[in-house]
């Protein structure tokens, strides 16, 4: 496997998207965001042809240029995705890479007073912008969304909330079944916050004053602070933890706000939307540190209980932890493209 970049058979158009919905967001993050749109081989040769589209979203702390990071002996996903189409593994599609980074590391792709209107930005700005400028099949039956970890969570909830836009999804180790993936971290946070007098915003001030990730607790506290900003921010944008930061005792009303975003618990209220999906890919590693293999299985069962046909669901567990599962992305991409391709 060559360690250097290779020429694509298709091409990636790199845009800067100016979002009105993200302008003046609570964290003062940039409202101008990179947006990459990949068009498959032959796109310019058949000017009348229209294509299905797949939207790709990232995990926590992910931002668009990270797609070019290279692991030893592996292709970055944009190259691996290009190979899917160049080799004819799947029908051609337009692939849209969306940036939803925030100062806290991520947006969970939801609208929140703590971070900004990232769900609306994705659905109401990015999708119509792409449809207006590229030859997409601008219909939910030919539009999918895919992601890993927090991106997998975004891929699970977005078709529930906007089935008018998305008719297929793939979630790789997506956040789900919160009593297993989040609660085990809460007592660890309590221990780490003792050095900050139980105040996670004191840690945040410290984090911003130095080189990032130079203290052992940084990633743990960043993720909990960031998710609190997404799921349980007060009206003024202040993140509120779902537990007492000194005793660890759950705060039921705040914790319920997190549970309301658990994809497993969301399915019953959005059963019709999920029954309308053309394709649902769910996978995870059997050694996932956040137990997202169990969360994925619970999500699959919730879909079955809601009447989603087994024919549209691909569920798979494989030997791995949470990291280094990027080789799974081209598999789901090809599967989605076959499902959303025109007849």
């Amino acid at each position: 496997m060559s360690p250097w970049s290779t020429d694509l058979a298709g091409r990636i158009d790199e845009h800067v998207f100016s979002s009105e919905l993200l302008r003046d967001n609570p964290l003062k993050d940039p409202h101008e965001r990179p947006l990459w749109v990949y068009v498959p081989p032959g796109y310019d040769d058949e000017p009348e042809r229209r294509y299905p589209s797949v939207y790709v979203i990232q995990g926590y702390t992910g931002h668009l240029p990270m797609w070019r990071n290279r692991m030893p002996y592996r292709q970055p996903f944009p190259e691996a995705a290009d190979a899917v189409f160049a080799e004819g593994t799947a029908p051609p599609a337009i692939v849209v890479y969306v940036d939803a980074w925030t100062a806290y590391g991520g947006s969970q792709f939801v609208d929140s007073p703590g971070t900004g209107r990232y769900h609306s930005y994705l659905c109401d700005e990015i999708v119509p912008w792409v449809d207006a400028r590229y030859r997409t099949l601008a219909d939910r039956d030919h539009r999918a969304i895919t992601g890993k970890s927090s991106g997998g969570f975004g891929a699970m909830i977005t078709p529930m909330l906007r089935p008018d836009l998305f008719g297929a999804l793939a979630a790789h180790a997506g956040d789900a079944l919160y009593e297993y993936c989040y609660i085990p971290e809460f007592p660890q946070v309590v221990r780490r916050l003792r050095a900050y007098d139980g105040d996670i915003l004191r840690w945040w001030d410290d984090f911003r004053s130095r080189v990032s990730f130079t203290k052992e607790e940084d990633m743990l506290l960043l993720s909990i602070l960031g998710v609190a900003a997404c799921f349980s921010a007060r009206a003024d944008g202040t993140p509120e933890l779902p537990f007492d930061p000194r005793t660890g005792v759950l705060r039921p009303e705040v914790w319920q706000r997190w549970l309301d975003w658990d994809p497993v618990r969301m399915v019953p209220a959005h059963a019709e939307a999920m029954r309308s999906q053309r394709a649902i890919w769910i996978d995870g590693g059997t050694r996932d540190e956040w137990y997202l293999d169990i969360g994925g299985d619970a999500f699959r069962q919730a879909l079955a209980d809601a009447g989603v046909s087994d024919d549209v669901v691909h569920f798979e567990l494989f030997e791995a932890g949470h990291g280094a599962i990027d080789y799974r992305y081209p598999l789901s991409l090809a599967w989605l493209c076959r499902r959303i391709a025109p007849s």
Side-chain angles (χ1 to χ4, degrees), residues 268-329:
H270 301 279
E272 183 177 354
M274 298 312 284
R275 286 193 295 268
S276 75
Q277 296 296 300
R278 298 185 66 181
I280 300 172
W281 174 293
I282 310 161
D283 73 11
T286 54
R287 293 183 283 103
D288 189 285
E289 294 86 337
W290 287 270
Y291 307 103
L292 298 175
D293 53 328
I294 299 173
D297 202 356
F299 183 63
R300 178 198 59 81
Q301 185 60 54
L303 295 173
D305 293 343
V308 176
S309 171
D310 288 343
D311 294 341
V312 303
V313 177
H314 175 97
F315 175 71
E316 184 178 353
L317 299 180
F318 50 91
E319 180 65 22
H322 191 69
I325 63 171
D326 51 293
Y327 72 95
R328 304 287 305 176
Y329 308 166

Side-chain angles (χ1 to χ4, degrees), residues 17-343:
F17 182 85
S18 182
S19 168
E20 289 304 313
L21 292 176
L22 297 185
R23 190 185 295 272
D24 300 322
N25 64 79
L27 296 177
K28 298 181 172 56
D29 289 323
H31 73 281
E32 293 187 336
R33 296 301 178 100
L35 175 69
W36 296 354
V37 182
Y38 168 89
V39 296
Y43 180 87
D44 295 323
D45 300 329
E46 301 180 77
E48 302 304 317
R49 184 173 182 178
R50 291 190 170 271
Y51 297 83
S53 55
V54 180
Y55 285 70
V56 182
I57 55 179
Q58 291 173 297
Y60 213 76
T61 71
H63 55 80
L64 230 55
M66 292 173 66
W67 283 120
R68 292 202 168 102
N69 293 349
R70 308 185 73 84
M71 293 179 61
Y73 306 103
R74 293 192 186 183
Q75 290 177 298
F77 177 58
E79 293 180 17
D82 177 70
V84 165
F85 303 116
E87 296 166 4
T89 306
I94 291 169
V95 182
V96 183
Y97 297 85
V98 181
D99 184 271
W101 180 88
T102 75
Y104 288 144
S107 66
Q108 296 296 94
F109 311 95
V110 302
D111 290 350
S112 167
T115 54
R117 300 182 62 192
Y118 284 87
H119 188 259
S120 296
Y121 150 76
L122 167 64
C123 294
D124 297 331
E125 289 188 324
I126 299 293
V127 170
W129 190 93
V130 171
D131 285 344
R133 287 161 179 80
Y134 288 86
R135 297 197 313 275
T136 62
L137 289 164
D139 181 89
R140 52 95 63 186
D141 285 346
H142 305 294
R143 188 184 294 115
I145 186 168
T146 179
K148 181 237 178 175
S149 194
S150 288
F153 163 79
M156 286 188 277
I157 67 161
T158 301
M160 289 197 228
L161 300 175
R162 293 300 301 270
D164 57 313
L165 292 181
F166 292 96
L169 70 95
H172 300 281
D175 301 356
L177 205 61
Y178 288 178
E179 57 264 58
Y180 291 160
C181 78
Y182 283 128
I183 284 183
E185 293 195 328
F186 294 171
Q188 299 177 50
V189 172
V190 172
R191 285 176 171 172
R192 294 298 184 178
L193 286 181
R194 287 171 180 160
Y196 303 93
D197 196 29
D199 186 350
I200 199 166
L201 294 180
R202 278 187 58 185
W203 165 82
W204 175 240
D205 289 340
D206 174 65
F207 178 79
R208 290 186 296 171
S209 73
R210 57 179 167 81
V211 176
S212 62
F213 305 112
T214 51
K215 292 186 178 180
E216 187 177 11
E217 63 265 26
D218 283 350
M219 190 64 233
L220 169 68
L221 297 183
L222 179 67
S223 64
I224 293 297
L225 174 62
V227 175
C230 297
F231 290 168
S232 56
R234 298 171 188 157
D236 67 359
T238 304
E240 188 171 6
L241 297 179
F243 55 91
D244 186 293
R246 290 184 175 83
T247 68
V249 175
L250 285 177
R251 294 167 166 165
E253 291 184 3
V254 183
W255 175 233
Q256 185 60 51
R257 295 179 65 186
W258 287 46
L259 293 177
D260 290 343
W261 282 112
D262 183 348
V264 176
R265 291 170 168 83
M266 289 176 67
V267 168
H270 301 279
E272 183 177 354
M274 298 312 284
R275 286 193 295 268
S276 75
Q277 296 296 300
R278 298 185 66 181
I280 300 172
W281 174 293
I282 310 161
D283 73 11
T286 54
R287 293 183 283 103
D288 189 285
E289 294 86 337
W290 287 270
Y291 307 103
L292 298 175
D293 53 328
I294 299 173
D297 202 356
F299 183 63
R300 178 198 59 81
Q301 185 60 54
L303 295 173
D305 293 343
V308 176
S309 171
D310 288 343
D311 294 341
V312 303
V313 177
H314 175 97
F315 175 71
E316 184 178 353
L317 299 180
F318 50 91
E319 180 65 22
H322 191 69
I325 63 171
D326 51 293
Y327 72 95
R328 304 287 305 176
Y329 308 166
L331 304 178
S332 68
L333 176 66
W335 186 82
L336 287 174
C337 289
R338 289 191 291 268
R339 293 299 187 104
I340 63 174
S343 302

